[in-house]
């Protein structure tokens, strides 16, 4: 589980631990918070910065050394940046794309060959409704999450005959530290932020049932449908999810 220091990632770790029977590995950038999550879930903490060039590969190597195999990968790490694109620093562009998209791809690339060889495994990618409709002031985050969703679709088709499941979880607004860390708090009255435990329940349900795509809440699929039928009607949709590393 990446992004497990807090927010959605920590909640997913709690949910999986509650089921029992898993050798749980949790990863995040913030060591103290990650250690607290690991302690209460009886997990092994694997701190790593996924924005670093060697981060994703180092994480998978550490995971395989500790557990021998990865049967379930939940890629939930994410960063954001809020403001006009014209004022977004190039370094921030690179960081959002590296963490929200490229790190997930590289993690999957490292675990998929073994999953295919064993004809088992499950990959869960945590997206955002911002990737289905686009959000004013978050052009790069929206683009990265949109690409993650298409990646999930393509990967699912590619791996379906190999017995490897791919799930794309698309949360709406979630009450996590993500907004404070992106540089702008969430100030809208509606939609109200969901507790991260709601997303964690959806992740576990998707793993149990082998679901391909899950919107949380389910009505969040509607903006995506409206956007597909009538482009422009959902411009400025409020920011959805995200999870700090």
């Amino acid at each position: 589980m990446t992004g497990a220091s807090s927010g959605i990632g920590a909640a997913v770790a709690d949910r999986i631990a509650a089921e029992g029977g898993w050798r749980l590995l949790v990863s995040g950038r913030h060591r103290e918070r990650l250690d607290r999550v690991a302690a209460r879930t009886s997990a092994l903490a694997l701190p790593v910065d996924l924005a670093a060039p060697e981060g994703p590969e180092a994480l998978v190597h550490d995971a395989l050394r500790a557990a021998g195999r990865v049967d379930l990968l939940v890629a939930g790490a994410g960063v954001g940046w809020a403001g006009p694109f014209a004022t977004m620093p190039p370094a921030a562009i690179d960081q959002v794309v590296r963490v929200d998209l490229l790190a997930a791809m590289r993690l999957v690339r490292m675990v998929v060959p073994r999953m295919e060889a064993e004809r088992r495994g499950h990959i869960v990618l945590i997206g955002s409704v911002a990737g289905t409709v686009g959000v004013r002031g978050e052009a790069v985050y929206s683009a990265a999450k949109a690409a993650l969703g298409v990646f999930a679709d393509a990967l699912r088709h590619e791996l379906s005959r190999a017995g490897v499941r791919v799930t794309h979880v698309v949360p709406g607004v979630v009450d996590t530290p993500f907004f404070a860390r992106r540089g702008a708090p969430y100030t809208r009255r509606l939609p109200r932020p969901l507790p991260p435990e709601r997303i964690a329940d959806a992740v576990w349900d998707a793993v149990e049932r082998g679901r391909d795509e899950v919107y949380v809440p389910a009505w969040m699929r509607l903006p995506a449908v409206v956007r597909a039928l009538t482009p422009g009607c959902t411009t400025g949709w409020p920011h959805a999810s995200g999870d700090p590393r």
Side-chain angles (χ1 to χ4, degrees), residues 133 226-236:
V133 297
V226 172
R227 173 68 179 82
L229 296 176
T230 55
C233 286
T234 54
T235 300

Side-chain angles (χ1 to χ4, degrees), residues 104-115:
M105 288 181 167
R106 288 167 60 187
L107 289 170
V108 171
R109 174 62 183 83
M110 292 288 289
V111 302
V112 154
R114 187 178 297 241
M115 288 182 174

Side-chain angles (χ1 to χ4, degrees), residues 180-207:
R181 293 174 189 161
R182 72 174 183 172
Y186 182 78
T187 57
R188 295 176 182 260
R189 284 195 314 110
L190 295 173
R192 293 180 179 177
L194 298 170
E197 291 77 16
R198 177 88 175 269
I199 315 305
D201 287 341
V203 168
W204 179 252
D205 180 72
V207 171

Side-chain angles (χ1 to χ4, degrees), residues 7-244:
I8 295 172
V12 172
D14 289 337
R15 185 67 179 83
I16 293 175
E19 294 299 320
W22 290 85
R23 176 71 170 98
L24 187 59
L25 310 177
V26 294
S27 179
R29 186 179 60 166
H30 300 280
R31 183 61 192 254
E32 291 184 6
R33 294 202 302 266
L34 186 67
D35 284 344
R36 289 196 292 269
V37 173
R40 71 172 184 255
T41 59
S42 299
L44 175 64
L46 299 175
V48 69
D49 184 357
L50 291 178
E54 71 286 355
E57 286 75 15
L59 174 57
V60 174
H61 284 310
D62 288 347
L64 292 176
R65 186 161 49 244
R69 59 190 297 158
V70 175
D71 292 321
L72 170 64
L73 169 65
V74 182
V79 296
W81 190 92
F85 179 67
T87 66
M88 188 174 185
I93 296 174
D94 292 345
Q95 184 186 41
V96 170
V97 174
R98 278 199 306 268
V99 176
D100 295 353
L101 176 61
L102 295 181
M105 288 181 167
R106 288 167 60 187
L107 289 170
V108 171
R109 174 62 183 83
M110 292 288 289
V111 302
V112 154
R114 187 178 297 241
M115 288 182 174
E116 284 187 295
E118 297 179 354
R119 302 194 63 80
R120 57 181 292 179
H122 199 141
I123 296 164
V124 178
L125 303 176
I126 307 296
S128 169
V129 75
T132 65
V133 297
V135 174
R136 183 187 299 115
E138 296 188 60
V140 176
Y141 179 82
S142 294
K145 289 299 187 179
L148 188 70
V150 175
F151 173 64
D153 285 344
L155 194 66
R156 186 181 306 114
H157 293 308
E158 185 174 323
L159 298 178
S160 60
R161 294 185 179 180
V164 180
R165 304 287 314 194
V166 178
T167 299
H168 183 212
V169 177
V170 188
V173 183
V174 184
D175 185 11
T176 76
F178 174 87
F179 295 102
R181 293 174 189 161
R182 72 174 183 172
Y186 182 78
T187 57
R188 295 176 182 260
R189 284 195 314 110
L190 295 173
R192 293 180 179 177
L194 298 170
E197 291 77 16
R198 177 88 175 269
I199 315 305
D201 287 341
V203 168
W204 179 252
D205 180 72
V207 171
E208 283 281 271
R209 301 189 184 194
R211 300 179 65 184
D212 292 342
E213 188 171 62
V214 182
Y215 281 77
V216 190
W219 68 263
M220 275 291 178
R221 188 181 296 273
L222 179 60
V225 174
V226 172
R227 173 68 179 82
L229 296 176
T230 55
C233 286
T234 54
T235 300
W237 187 262
H239 176 143
S241 66
D243 211 19

